[in-house]
Amino acid sequence: MKNINFRFDIPADNPYKFDKLNRRPSIEMFSRIINGFPQGCVCSISAPWGMGKTQFVRMLQIKLNQDGHKTFFFNAWECDYAEDPITAIISEMSIPKQNKNFWGLMGRIVIGVGKELGKSALHEISGLNFDSSFEALADWSKKKVEDYENQKTTIRQFKQLLSEEIASTASELPVIFFIDELDRCNPSFAVRTLERIKHIFDIPNIVFVLSIDKSQLENSICGYFGSDKFDAKEYLRRFIDIEYQLPEPSYESYIDYIAQIVNIDHDLRMEGSLAYDDFKRILSYQAARKHLTLRQIEKLLTHVAIITSSFSTGALMEYVAFFTYLSFFEREILDKIENKQYSDVSELLSDLQIFCPKTDDDYSFFIGKILGLYGDYVGCLDLKNPESWLPRNNQYFSQDAAIQLIPGMKQIVKSDYSHKIKLEDILKHIHLYSHITKS
């Protein structure tokens, strides 16, 4: 098996060199949206974990660099140990340290003007009599109002200096700041980041692009506010101007890409068979039906590569791959097969119909082989009367396609195939490697 590396560096001169998911149209569209907001905005790119968001925003970043934008990339999850996200965000901007006014104002924002004054005043109040306490409380309240006014002035001055700094180092195009994996941060850091973006960075000529799993970020927000009844969707609308749901990828292209990396496209094409193409069609259909993530596909195909490479023969490896898929995503069907709970192949066919689009009769020969493996496994096939293998009252395959089930089953039980691989061998290998790459 090849060395496995699913991640790759995107060349600065070609953002689409490794575009295995056909993301180019989405990237071109999104770059046009960003160029249409020179006044600045906050965008979100949302997709579940493992669906290629980071790769998408990296490609988008290079495309925007080519268009003349100045861009920054901030992995929030790697920095959520910071006390205040503003320090982590500003550090990515490489603002000159000699700008003392800027850094001084930022320090005042982070520390919080008058923060300790309030604490000391309250401590003093607790030990005084009523008249003294009332006077101390009045003084403390006055200081808090002054602190608030000072903080407003500090933030206004800081935003002005930040605008000037951006204007001095960038073109007329918006500066783009990508924030990735905010949904994986601890809830407090995630909420503070949103608040800082809203109140500190709402300045002209800067666009924030948040790469998030929106549902996970909403859960974090509910956790921060201590209630699952908190309206996290409405809360997020306060911060995000444009929401974009990343489309599901081109599964066939990605399966081809991963299959080449782990070398199963070669293993399943031994002896000139179409085994890999058959398996890819099944997996692509199921990936779309079950909305599998790219990481789930990576783990599955890595597991398939390990198991198929452990067989001495290359024959019928597509069925090793298929039963491995069952072990990942259709465990109930695999358990019924292993425990011989289907009384005949027609009962198994009923459960296997979810793998076949009704519009595609070409699946029948593939499914026929699976039925043959099971029939041979339980000994329920009458070799003298193969027509009896056909399921009664079949409602799924056309009549012509149903007849193609028989050649598939026959090929499995022929003596020159039965000695090469049997279902019990496949199941043993799946159990042997069941704790590898599956978590």
Side-chain angles (χ1 to χ4, degrees):
M1 215 172 77
K2 294 180 181 178
N3 292 330
I4 300 174
N5 181 17
F6 300 133
R7 306 292 172 252
F8 41 81
D9 294 327
I10 303 170
D13 61 343
N14 184 5
Y16 308 118
K17 182 174 182 179
F18 301 110
D19 185 16
K20 305 300 180 182
L21 303 176
N22 192 29
R23 299 296 200 192
R24 181 169 187 160
S26 296
I27 289 172
E28 300 282 349
M29 178 271 296
F30 206 85
S31 63
R32 288 193 294 271
I33 291 175
I34 288 175
N35 286 326
F37 284 86
Q39 74 275 19
C41 66
V42 178
C43 309
S44 70
I45 297 171
S46 180
W49 289 346
M51 292 300 284
K53 293 189 301 295
T54 297
Q55 202 68 24
F56 179 88
V57 296
R58 286 295 193 184
M59 293 166 66
L60 176 60
Q61 181 183 20
I62 290 175
K63 170 64 170 65
L64 291 169
N65 287 340
Q66 290 181 331
D67 290 345
H69 292 270
K70 187 169 186 177
T71 66
F72 302 96
F73 190 92
F74 172 54
N75 188 313
W77 191 44
E78 293 177 355
C79 303
D80 72 348
Y81 58 85
E83 184 176 350
D84 194 309
I86 191 174
T87 58
I89 294 173
I90 290 294
S91 69
E92 298 293 331
M93 292 186 169
S94 303
I95 293 175
K97 297 297 186 291
Q98 59 266 30
N99 192 336
K100 293 183 179 179
N101 287 339
F102 177 88
W103 291 105
L105 288 169
M106 194 189 90
R108 291 172 66 183
I109 291 172
V110 172
I111 293 172
V113 178
K115 185 177 180 181
E116 295 303 319
L117 290 175
K119 287 184 179 179
S120 60
L122 288 174
H123 178 72
E124 292 173 5
I125 290 169
S126 63
L128 299 177
N129 59 36
F130 179 79
D131 291 336
S132 299
S133 296
F134 188 82
E135 183 178 346
L137 183 60
D139 289 342
W140 178 81
S141 299
K142 182 179 177 182
K143 286 182 181 297
K144 293 302 291 181
V145 172
E146 291 173 352
D147 292 343
Y148 171 73
E149 294 296 334
N150 289 336
Q151 189 78 333
K152 280 176 60 178
T153 301
T154 298
I155 291 174
R156 184 170 61 252
Q157 292 172 345
F158 176 79
K159 289 166 70 172
Q160 178 61 35
L161 287 178
L162 182 59
S163 297
E164 293 172 1
E165 187 66 38
I166 289 173
S168 68
T169 59
S171 66
E172 295 181 358
L173 295 172
V175 171
I176 315 299
F177 205 108
F178 293 93
I179 297 184
D180 193 24
E181 303 207 85
L182 187 62
D183 49 279
R184 298 181 70 180
C185 296
N186 71 69
S188 177
F189 188 85
V191 170
R192 280 183 294 157
T193 299
L194 292 171
E195 296 281 359
R196 287 309 198 192
I197 291 172
K198 177 69 174 178
H199 300 300
I200 306 296
F201 293 95
D202 59 331
I203 58 178
N205 214 39
I206 184 167
V207 173
F208 278 88
V209 179
L210 311 180
S211 171
I212 58 174
D213 179 338
K214 187 180 177 184
S215 63
Q216 293 296 329
L217 184 55
E218 288 171 355
N219 290 338
S220 292
I221 292 169
C222 288
Y224 176 81
F225 288 103
S227 172
D228 58 2
K229 295 183 175 14
F230 183 80
D231 192 346
K233 286 185 173 61
E234 185 59 34
Y235 178 82
L236 273 179
R237 289 193 188 100
R238 295 169 47 202
F239 302 99
I240 299 173
D241 303 302
I242 300 170
E243 297 183 24
Y244 179 64
Q245 184 69 38
L246 196 62
E248 286 196 346
S250 168
Y251 286 109
E252 285 203 14
S253 298
Y254 196 68
I255 290 168
D256 277 336
Y257 167 65
I258 299 300
Q260 290 172 17
I261 291 178
V262 300
N263 210 31
I264 65 170
D265 63 327
H266 173 267
D267 292 342
L268 269 61
R269 283 190 172 121
M270 293 180 70
E271 302 179 6
S273 76
L274 297 175
Y276 170 70
D277 299 297
D278 287 339
F279 175 66
K280 182 179 75 172
R281 288 164 65 239
I282 290 281
L283 179 55
S284 298
Y285 176 64
Q286 289 305 300
R289 186 180 73 87
K290 296 179 75 69
H291 307 288
L292 299 184
T293 69
L294 305 183
R295 288 176 191 164
Q296 285 176 308
I297 292 172
E298 291 169 6
K299 290 178 180 180
L300 169 66
L301 294 184
T302 301
H303 208 80
V304 167
I306 292 171
I307 294 178
T308 55
S309 66
S310 69
F311 282 88
S312 59
T313 176
L316 304 180
M317 287 299 102
E318 68 269 38
Y319 298 96
V320 176
F322 179 81
F323 284 103
T324 304
Y325 171 86
L326 293 183
S327 74
F328 267 64
F329 303 113
E330 302 288 349
R331 189 72 215 187
E332 185 177 348
I333 294 177
L334 185 67
D335 287 343
K336 289 174 70 176
I337 289 173
E338 185 172 13
N339 295 320
K340 303 181 180 180
Q341 292 178 344
Y342 296 104
S343 60
D344 56 38
V345 295
S346 63
E347 288 186 7
L348 175 57
L349 176 61
S350 177
D351 279 354
L352 294 182
Q353 289 173 357
I354 60 172
F355 297 97
C356 309
K358 291 187 177 182
T359 57
D360 193 344
D361 286 346
D362 290 340
Y363 284 82
S364 58
F365 188 75
F366 184 92
I367 297 298
K369 285 188 178 182
I370 296 172
L371 300 179
L373 280 167
Y374 180 74
D376 188 51
Y377 176 58
V378 300
C380 68
L381 298 180
D382 181 0
L383 298 181
K384 296 181 179 179
N385 186 21
E387 284 70 22
S388 66
W389 301 347
L390 278 173
R392 297 183 180 88
N393 301 320
N394 170 60
Q395 300 294 320
Y396 201 81
F397 291 107
S398 68
Q399 185 175 359
D400 290 341
I403 293 174
Q404 290 301 312
L405 293 169
I406 294 177
M409 289 188 279
K410 277 184 175 180
Q411 195 173 68
I412 291 297
V413 298
K414 282 166 53 179
S415 60
D416 59 337
Y417 270 84
S418 61
H419 78 279
K420 289 185 177 181
I421 188 171
K422 287 180 173 289
L423 181 53
E424 50 261 43
D425 296 325
I426 296 174
L427 296 173
K428 285 178 183 176
H429 279 73
I430 288 174
H431 279 297
L432 183 63
Y433 294 97
S434 61
H435 299 291
I436 298 176
T437 75
K438 194 176 177 181
S439 63

